[in-house]
Amino acid sequence: MTLMAEDLNVFGLPHNHMKRLVGNIEEKVLSTNFSDEESYYSLLNTLNNGFNELISHEAIEDHYIIHPLLPRLPSTVKVTLQNDVHSDNRLDLLHGKVKQQLNMDVVSHSERLHFGKQLQEELFSLKLIPHMNEEEEVFQPLLMQYFTQQELRSIKLTVIKLHNLPDCRQPEAPAKAPICQLPPEVVLQIFSYLSPRDLCQCAQVNSFFSRTAFVGKLWTRLFPVRWLSGHWESCSPTSYDERSLEHLAHHGDEEDSGNSTVSLSMSRLYDFVCYLLPKVGPHVKLLDFAHAGRMEIKYVSETLLEGSYFCDALCCVSCAVVGCPRYCNLFPLHDAHLQES
């Protein structure tokens, strides 16, 4: 298997991380007010942690990249770096001075100013970022020439692991959406403002949304006929559009010739009974079929209440039909109170 160039670049990820670290250190050194004692010690702690990481980085490169490479090079190949942090101890010496300052009980104002000037000169003389760029330009081509692809991939993974860095070629676990990080009771409160249609759509997002969307307290009042007509509120409406009322009153009176054609409203009502009620039925207190047609009332009468969808929470069923009050009696409910709209 042929690997991509990025899979074989042993310096890429560690150097990107270290260049950001060095950039942050240099920026803080330049912006620190050495007259302020608190800012001074904050800088020293940043430098101490940063230098520890840089020294560890150089040791990892020495052991796993540079030292394995050198014996494989022909005697005719000479490797020299203009900015070779590996061959001198200036970084270690500067780190020692920082630790010395941290261990001092008292550092006077003049001593802080003096060390600040010295620090800037020595830090920027290290040329840490040019050193990393030079390593990439000099060593990476040699590694590609004298190591196999599998060897380079193995070295890269080892170096990344020792730096505690993620491999950019490895898929990361998808981050949770911010709302999924909220406490369940907060998400439930947010969902309480959604319409039934919105809740059903949210339930398709993920398992957390699905569990929350069908919590019983969100479904205590059901208005399936109104929902099928596009009225998605979960409470009794104050008014209806006249055309909607007329449609609701009469569309169920159409004959179903030979049962070969099922109306769209009956199909949706079937979905309501088969898919929604098994999830929320035990929590329903009010089931409102007001403004339903004859077919809907008959279907509910014969099918809906014969199932085990409800428990004792159901206390009210409304099924008055617009202009057709005679259909109320078609809706038997054993122990529930029948309320005419």
PDB file of all heavy atoms in Angstrom, residues 17-45:
ATOM      1  N   HIS A  17       2.812  21.888  16.407  1.00  0.00           N
ATOM      2  CA  HIS A  17       2.493  22.144  17.815  1.00  0.00           C
ATOM      3  C   HIS A  17       3.582  22.970  18.483  1.00  0.00           C
ATOM      4  O   HIS A  17       3.295  23.936  19.211  1.00  0.00           O
ATOM      5  CB  HIS A  17       2.320  20.803  18.546  1.00  0.00           C
ATOM      6  CG  HIS A  17       2.086  20.942  20.010  1.00  0.00           C
ATOM      7  ND1 HIS A  17       0.918  21.452  20.541  1.00  0.00           N
ATOM      8  CD2 HIS A  17       2.893  20.655  21.087  1.00  0.00           C
ATOM      9  CE1 HIS A  17       1.002  21.459  21.853  1.00  0.00           C
ATOM     10  NE2 HIS A  17       2.192  20.985  22.219  1.00  0.00           N
ATOM     11  N   MET A  18       4.851  22.631  18.247  1.00  0.00           N
ATOM     12  CA  MET A  18       5.954  23.340  18.888  1.00  0.00           C
ATOM     13  C   MET A  18       6.107  24.769  18.358  1.00  0.00           C
ATOM     14  O   MET A  18       6.472  25.678  19.109  1.00  0.00           O
ATOM     15  CB  MET A  18       7.260  22.568  18.665  1.00  0.00           C
ATOM     16  CG  MET A  18       7.330  21.270  19.444  1.00  0.00           C
ATOM     17  SD  MET A  18       7.191  21.567  21.231  1.00  0.00           S
ATOM     18  CE  MET A  18       6.446  20.016  21.754  1.00  0.00           C
ATOM     19  N   LYS A  19       5.820  24.971  17.095  1.00  0.00           N
ATOM     20  CA  LYS A  19       5.899  26.334  16.544  1.00  0.00           C
ATOM     21  C   LYS A  19       4.843  27.234  17.183  1.00  0.00           C
ATOM     22  O   LYS A  19       5.108  28.414  17.454  1.00  0.00           O
ATOM     23  CB  LYS A  19       5.729  26.295  15.029  1.00  0.00           C
ATOM     24  CG  LYS A  19       6.946  25.735  14.285  1.00  0.00           C
ATOM     25  CD  LYS A  19       6.675  25.593  12.802  1.00  0.00           C
ATOM     26  CE  LYS A  19       7.871  24.970  12.083  1.00  0.00           C
ATOM     27  NZ  LYS A  19       7.613  24.766  10.628  1.00  0.00           N
ATOM     28  N   ARG A  20       3.664  26.683  17.420  1.00  0.00           N
ATOM     29  CA  ARG A  20       2.642  27.477  18.127  1.00  0.00           C
ATOM     30  C   ARG A  20       3.090  27.778  19.551  1.00  0.00           C
ATOM     31  O   ARG A  20       2.884  28.893  20.061  1.00  0.00           O
ATOM     32  CB  ARG A  20       1.309  26.727  18.135  1.00  0.00           C
ATOM     33  CG  ARG A  20       0.601  26.696  16.800  1.00  0.00           C
ATOM     34  CD  ARG A  20      -0.843  26.227  16.951  1.00  0.00           C
ATOM     35  NE  ARG A  20      -0.925  24.857  17.427  1.00  0.00           N
ATOM     36  CZ  ARG A  20      -0.972  23.800  16.637  1.00  0.00           C
ATOM     37  NH1 ARG A  20      -0.933  23.957  15.323  1.00  0.00           N
ATOM     38  NH2 ARG A  20      -1.054  22.582  17.150  1.00  0.00           N
ATOM     39  N   LEU A  21       3.696  26.784  20.198  1.00  0.00           N
ATOM     40  CA  LEU A  21       4.188  26.978  21.564  1.00  0.00           C
ATOM     41  C   LEU A  21       5.258  28.062  21.617  1.00  0.00           C
ATOM     42  O   LEU A  21       5.205  28.967  22.469  1.00  0.00           O
ATOM     43  CB  LEU A  21       4.747  25.658  22.097  1.00  0.00           C
ATOM     44  CG  LEU A  21       5.410  25.702  23.480  1.00  0.00           C
ATOM     45  CD1 LEU A  21       4.394  26.063  24.546  1.00  0.00           C
ATOM     46  CD2 LEU A  21       6.076  24.358  23.800  1.00  0.00           C
ATOM     47  N   VAL A  22       6.236  27.994  20.709  1.00  0.00           N
ATOM     48  CA  VAL A  22       7.306  28.991  20.674  1.00  0.00           C
ATOM     49  C   VAL A  22       6.734  30.377  20.366  1.00  0.00           C
ATOM     50  O   VAL A  22       7.134  31.386  20.977  1.00  0.00           O
ATOM     51  CB  VAL A  22       8.370  28.602  19.624  1.00  0.00           C
ATOM     52  CG1 VAL A  22       9.373  29.739  19.428  1.00  0.00           C
ATOM     53  CG2 VAL A  22       9.093  27.331  20.050  1.00  0.00           C
ATOM     54  N   GLY A  23       5.785  30.435  19.431  1.00  0.00           N
ATOM     55  CA  GLY A  23       5.168  31.724  19.111  1.00  0.00           C
ATOM     56  C   GLY A  23       4.480  32.342  20.315  1.00  0.00           C
ATOM     57  O   GLY A  23       4.586  33.556  20.558  1.00  0.00           O
ATOM     58  N   ASN A  24       3.780  31.521  21.093  1.00  0.00           N
ATOM     59  CA  ASN A  24       3.107  32.026  22.296  1.00  0.00           C
ATOM     60  C   ASN A  24       4.117  32.503  23.338  1.00  0.00           C
ATOM     61  O   ASN A  24       3.908  33.522  24.010  1.00  0.00           O
ATOM     62  CB  ASN A  24       2.215  30.932  22.897  1.00  0.00           C
ATOM     63  CG  ASN A  24       1.027  30.596  22.011  1.00  0.00           C
ATOM     64  OD1 ASN A  24       0.602  31.424  21.203  1.00  0.00           O
ATOM     65  ND2 ASN A  24       0.497  29.392  22.152  1.00  0.00           N
ATOM     66  N   ILE A  25       5.223  31.753  23.485  1.00  0.00           N
ATOM     67  CA  ILE A  25       6.262  32.142  24.442  1.00  0.00           C
ATOM     68  C   ILE A  25       6.886  33.471  24.039  1.00  0.00           C
ATOM     69  O   ILE A  25       7.044  34.386  24.867  1.00  0.00           O
ATOM     70  CB  ILE A  25       7.343  31.045  24.540  1.00  0.00           C
ATOM     71  CG1 ILE A  25       6.786  29.811  25.253  1.00  0.00           C
ATOM     72  CG2 ILE A  25       8.585  31.567  25.263  1.00  0.00           C
ATOM     73  CD1 ILE A  25       7.745  28.636  25.278  1.00  0.00           C
ATOM     74  N   GLU A  26       7.259  33.605  22.781  1.00  0.00           N
ATOM     75  CA  GLU A  26       7.891  34.843  22.315  1.00  0.00           C
ATOM     76  C   GLU A  26       6.953  36.032  22.463  1.00  0.00           C
ATOM     77  O   GLU A  26       7.374  37.125  22.864  1.00  0.00           O
ATOM     78  CB  GLU A  26       8.321  34.676  20.861  1.00  0.00           C
ATOM     79  CG  GLU A  26       9.474  33.674  20.688  1.00  0.00           C
ATOM     80  CD  GLU A  26       9.856  33.479  19.228  1.00  0.00           C
ATOM     81  OE1 GLU A  26       9.076  33.921  18.341  1.00  0.00           O
ATOM     82  OE2 GLU A  26      10.922  32.877  18.959  1.00  0.00           O
ATOM     83  N   GLU A  27       5.685  35.824  22.154  1.00  0.00           N
ATOM     84  CA  GLU A  27       4.711  36.914  22.288  1.00  0.00           C
ATOM     85  C   GLU A  27       4.560  37.351  23.734  1.00  0.00           C
ATOM     86  O   GLU A  27       4.484  38.553  24.039  1.00  0.00           O
ATOM     87  CB  GLU A  27       3.363  36.459  21.725  1.00  0.00           C
ATOM     88  CG  GLU A  27       2.284  37.540  21.773  1.00  0.00           C
ATOM     89  CD  GLU A  27       0.965  37.064  21.207  1.00  0.00           C
ATOM     90  OE1 GLU A  27       0.910  35.920  20.685  1.00  0.00           O
ATOM     91  OE2 GLU A  27      -0.016  37.821  21.295  1.00  0.00           O
ATOM     92  N   LYS A  28       4.549  36.380  24.669  1.00  0.00           N
ATOM     93  CA  LYS A  28       4.389  36.730  26.079  1.00  0.00           C
ATOM     94  C   LYS A  28       5.631  37.424  26.616  1.00  0.00           C
ATOM     95  O   LYS A  28       5.518  38.354  27.436  1.00  0.00           O
ATOM     96  CB  LYS A  28       4.082  35.467  26.894  1.00  0.00           C
ATOM     97  CG  LYS A  28       3.786  35.773  28.359  1.00  0.00           C
ATOM     98  CD  LYS A  28       2.890  34.742  28.992  1.00  0.00           C
ATOM     99  CE  LYS A  28       2.452  35.198  30.384  1.00  0.00           C
ATOM    100  NZ  LYS A  28       1.479  34.283  30.999  1.00  0.00           N
ATOM    101  N   VAL A  29       6.804  37.005  26.171  1.00  0.00           N
ATOM    102  CA  VAL A  29       8.031  37.669  26.612  1.00  0.00           C
ATOM    103  C   VAL A  29       8.040  39.131  26.183  1.00  0.00           C
ATOM    104  O   VAL A  29       8.414  40.027  26.946  1.00  0.00           O
ATOM    105  CB  VAL A  29       9.269  36.926  26.060  1.00  0.00           C
ATOM    106  CG1 VAL A  29      10.538  37.759  26.261  1.00  0.00           C
ATOM    107  CG2 VAL A  29       9.422  35.568  26.731  1.00  0.00           C
ATOM    108  N   LEU A  30       7.604  39.387  24.963  1.00  0.00           N
ATOM    109  CA  LEU A  30       7.605  40.750  24.442  1.00  0.00           C
ATOM    110  C   LEU A  30       6.531  41.626  25.087  1.00  0.00           C
ATOM    111  O   LEU A  30       6.701  42.846  25.197  1.00  0.00           O
ATOM    112  CB  LEU A  30       7.400  40.732  22.924  1.00  0.00           C
ATOM    113  CG  LEU A  30       8.556  40.155  22.089  1.00  0.00           C
ATOM    114  CD1 LEU A  30       8.160  40.073  20.621  1.00  0.00           C
ATOM    115  CD2 LEU A  30       9.814  41.013  22.256  1.00  0.00           C
ATOM    116  N   SER A  31       5.445  41.013  25.517  1.00  0.00           N
ATOM    117  CA  SER A  31       4.328  41.810  26.056  1.00  0.00           C
ATOM    118  C   SER A  31       4.335  41.930  27.573  1.00  0.00           C
ATOM    119  O   SER A  31       3.534  42.676  28.130  1.00  0.00           O
ATOM    120  CB  SER A  31       2.996  41.197  25.610  1.00  0.00           C
ATOM    121  OG  SER A  31       2.846  39.881  26.114  1.00  0.00           O
ATOM    122  N   THR A  32       5.231  41.221  28.250  1.00  0.00           N
ATOM    123  CA  THR A  32       5.239  41.229  29.720  1.00  0.00           C
ATOM    124  C   THR A  32       5.831  42.522  30.262  1.00  0.00           C
ATOM    125  O   THR A  32       6.860  43.014  29.777  1.00  0.00           O
ATOM    126  CB  THR A  32       6.046  40.032  30.266  1.00  0.00           C
ATOM    127  OG1 THR A  32       5.359  38.829  29.919  1.00  0.00           O
ATOM    128  CG2 THR A  32       6.175  40.101  31.786  1.00  0.00           C
ATOM    129  N   ASN A  33       5.183  43.065  31.268  1.00  0.00           N
ATOM    130  CA  ASN A  33       5.695  44.222  31.993  1.00  0.00           C
ATOM    131  C   ASN A  33       6.556  43.712  33.152  1.00  0.00           C
ATOM    132  O   ASN A  33       6.044  43.251  34.173  1.00  0.00           O
ATOM    133  CB  ASN A  33       4.533  45.067  32.517  1.00  0.00           C
ATOM    134  CG  ASN A  33       4.997  46.260  33.325  1.00  0.00           C
ATOM    135  OD1 ASN A  33       6.188  46.595  33.340  1.00  0.00           O
ATOM    136  ND2 ASN A  33       4.069  46.901  34.010  1.00  0.00           N
ATOM    137  N   PHE A  34       7.872  43.774  32.995  1.00  0.00           N
ATOM    138  CA  PHE A  34       8.777  43.206  33.997  1.00  0.00           C
ATOM    139  C   PHE A  34       8.803  44.028  35.279  1.00  0.00           C
ATOM    140  O   PHE A  34       9.350  43.582  36.288  1.00  0.00           O
ATOM    141  CB  PHE A  34      10.183  43.077  33.418  1.00  0.00           C
ATOM    142  CG  PHE A  34      10.306  41.992  32.379  1.00  0.00           C
ATOM    143  CD1 PHE A  34      10.101  42.271  31.039  1.00  0.00           C
ATOM    144  CD2 PHE A  34      10.600  40.694  32.746  1.00  0.00           C
ATOM    145  CE1 PHE A  34      10.197  41.283  30.085  1.00  0.00           C
ATOM    146  CE2 PHE A  34      10.698  39.692  31.804  1.00  0.00           C
ATOM    147  CZ  PHE A  34      10.493  39.979  30.460  1.00  0.00           C
ATOM    148  N   SER A  35       8.204  45.208  35.256  1.00  0.00           N
ATOM    149  CA  SER A  35       8.100  46.000  36.477  1.00  0.00           C
ATOM    150  C   SER A  35       7.025  45.450  37.401  1.00  0.00           C
ATOM    151  O   SER A  35       7.049  45.690  38.610  1.00  0.00           O
ATOM    152  CB  SER A  35       7.786  47.469  36.135  1.00  0.00           C
ATOM    153  OG  SER A  35       8.829  48.039  35.375  1.00  0.00           O
ATOM    154  N   ASP A  36       6.077  44.736  36.811  1.00  0.00           N
ATOM    155  CA  ASP A  36       4.971  44.191  37.600  1.00  0.00           C
ATOM    156  C   ASP A  36       5.346  42.796  38.085  1.00  0.00           C
ATOM    157  O   ASP A  36       5.593  41.882  37.276  1.00  0.00           O
ATOM    158  CB  ASP A  36       3.697  44.141  36.745  1.00  0.00           C
ATOM    159  CG  ASP A  36       2.511  43.614  37.520  1.00  0.00           C
ATOM    160  OD1 ASP A  36       2.021  44.320  38.403  1.00  0.00           O
ATOM    161  OD2 ASP A  36       2.095  42.469  37.240  1.00  0.00           O
ATOM    162  N   GLU A  37       5.369  42.614  39.390  1.00  0.00           N
ATOM    163  CA  GLU A  37       5.827  41.351  39.961  1.00  0.00           C
ATOM    164  C   GLU A  37       4.924  40.182  39.579  1.00  0.00           C
ATOM    165  O   GLU A  37       5.400  39.086  39.253  1.00  0.00           O
ATOM    166  CB  GLU A  37       5.900  41.479  41.495  1.00  0.00           C
ATOM    167  CG  GLU A  37       6.526  40.266  42.170  1.00  0.00           C
ATOM    168  CD  GLU A  37       6.714  40.490  43.658  1.00  0.00           C
ATOM    169  OE1 GLU A  37       6.238  41.522  44.176  1.00  0.00           O
ATOM    170  OE2 GLU A  37       7.336  39.621  44.305  1.00  0.00           O
ATOM    171  N   GLU A  38       3.609  40.389  39.584  1.00  0.00           N
ATOM    172  CA  GLU A  38       2.682  39.312  39.257  1.00  0.00           C
ATOM    173  C   GLU A  38       2.850  38.861  37.802  1.00  0.00           C
ATOM    174  O   GLU A  38       2.871  37.666  37.507  1.00  0.00           O
ATOM    175  CB  GLU A  38       1.241  39.771  39.509  1.00  0.00           C
ATOM    176  CG  GLU A  38       0.209  38.686  39.273  1.00  0.00           C
ATOM    177  CD  GLU A  38      -1.207  39.153  39.608  1.00  0.00           C
ATOM    178  OE1 GLU A  38      -1.360  40.251  40.193  1.00  0.00           O
ATOM    179  OE2 GLU A  38      -2.157  38.417  39.267  1.00  0.00           O
ATOM    180  N   SER A  39       2.968  39.824  36.896  1.00  0.00           N
ATOM    181  CA  SER A  39       3.179  39.496  35.484  1.00  0.00           C
ATOM    182  C   SER A  39       4.515  38.781  35.280  1.00  0.00           C
ATOM    183  O   SER A  39       4.629  37.874  34.447  1.00  0.00           O
ATOM    184  CB  SER A  39       3.146  40.771  34.633  1.00  0.00           C
ATOM    185  OG  SER A  39       1.903  41.416  34.729  1.00  0.00           O
ATOM    186  N   TYR A  40       5.510  39.181  36.038  1.00  0.00           N
ATOM    187  CA  TYR A  40       6.843  38.586  35.932  1.00  0.00           C
ATOM    188  C   TYR A  40       6.808  37.102  36.285  1.00  0.00           C
ATOM    189  O   TYR A  40       7.323  36.261  35.539  1.00  0.00           O
ATOM    190  CB  TYR A  40       7.807  39.339  36.856  1.00  0.00           C
ATOM    191  CG  TYR A  40       9.220  38.819  36.853  1.00  0.00           C
ATOM    192  CD1 TYR A  40      10.057  39.020  35.761  1.00  0.00           C
ATOM    193  CD2 TYR A  40       9.731  38.129  37.953  1.00  0.00           C
ATOM    194  CE1 TYR A  40      11.372  38.547  35.759  1.00  0.00           C
ATOM    195  CE2 TYR A  40      11.033  37.659  37.972  1.00  0.00           C
ATOM    196  CZ  TYR A  40      11.849  37.871  36.867  1.00  0.00           C
ATOM    197  OH  TYR A  40      13.138  37.399  36.860  1.00  0.00           O
ATOM    198  N   TYR A  41       6.167  36.764  37.422  1.00  0.00           N
ATOM    199  CA  TYR A  41       6.128  35.364  37.837  1.00  0.00           C
ATOM    200  C   TYR A  41       5.190  34.541  36.953  1.00  0.00           C
ATOM    201  O   TYR A  41       5.400  33.338  36.759  1.00  0.00           O
ATOM    202  CB  TYR A  41       5.732  35.260  39.308  1.00  0.00           C
ATOM    203  CG  TYR A  41       6.885  35.567  40.225  1.00  0.00           C
ATOM    204  CD1 TYR A  41       6.992  36.803  40.867  1.00  0.00           C
ATOM    205  CD2 TYR A  41       7.887  34.627  40.437  1.00  0.00           C
ATOM    206  CE1 TYR A  41       8.064  37.082  41.702  1.00  0.00           C
ATOM    207  CE2 TYR A  41       8.973  34.899  41.269  1.00  0.00           C
ATOM    208  CZ  TYR A  41       9.058  36.133  41.898  1.00  0.00           C
ATOM    209  OH  TYR A  41      10.128  36.416  42.717  1.00  0.00           O
ATOM    210  N   SER A  42       4.182  35.163  36.412  1.00  0.00           N
ATOM    211  CA  SER A  42       3.320  34.464  35.452  1.00  0.00           C
ATOM    212  C   SER A  42       4.118  34.068  34.218  1.00  0.00           C
ATOM    213  O   SER A  42       3.985  32.955  33.699  1.00  0.00           O
ATOM    214  CB  SER A  42       2.135  35.359  35.057  1.00  0.00           C
ATOM    215  OG  SER A  42       1.385  34.769  34.022  1.00  0.00           O
ATOM    216  N   LEU A  43       4.988  34.976  33.758  1.00  0.00           N
ATOM    217  CA  LEU A  43       5.840  34.678  32.609  1.00  0.00           C
ATOM    218  C   LEU A  43       6.826  33.551  32.937  1.00  0.00           C
ATOM    219  O   LEU A  43       7.032  32.643  32.124  1.00  0.00           O
ATOM    220  CB  LEU A  43       6.609  35.929  32.198  1.00  0.00           C
ATOM    221  CG  LEU A  43       7.694  35.720  31.131  1.00  0.00           C
ATOM    222  CD1 LEU A  43       7.077  35.269  29.808  1.00  0.00           C
ATOM    223  CD2 LEU A  43       8.515  37.000  30.939  1.00  0.00           C
ATOM    224  N   LEU A  44       7.415  33.605  34.129  1.00  0.00           N
ATOM    225  CA  LEU A  44       8.376  32.567  34.504  1.00  0.00           C
ATOM    226  C   LEU A  44       7.732  31.177  34.504  1.00  0.00           C
ATOM    227  O   LEU A  44       8.337  30.200  34.052  1.00  0.00           O
ATOM    228  CB  LEU A  44       8.972  32.872  35.882  1.00  0.00           C
ATOM    229  CG  LEU A  44       9.900  34.095  35.989  1.00  0.00           C
ATOM    230  CD1 LEU A  44      10.390  34.264  37.420  1.00  0.00           C
ATOM    231  CD2 LEU A  44      11.084  33.978  35.033  1.00  0.00           C
ATOM    232  N   ASN A  45       6.515  31.085  34.995  1.00  0.00           N
ATOM    233  CA  ASN A  45       5.822  29.795  35.003  1.00  0.00           C
ATOM    234  C   ASN A  45       5.509  29.326  33.588  1.00  0.00           C
ATOM    235  O   ASN A  45       5.643  28.137  33.275  1.00  0.00           O
ATOM    236  CB  ASN A  45       4.529  29.902  35.822  1.00  0.00           C
ATOM    237  CG  ASN A  45       4.783  29.864  37.322  1.00  0.00           C
ATOM    238  OD1 ASN A  45       5.367  28.926  37.843  1.00  0.00           O
ATOM    239  ND2 ASN A  45       4.372  30.912  38.020  1.00  0.00           N
TER     240      ASN A  45
END
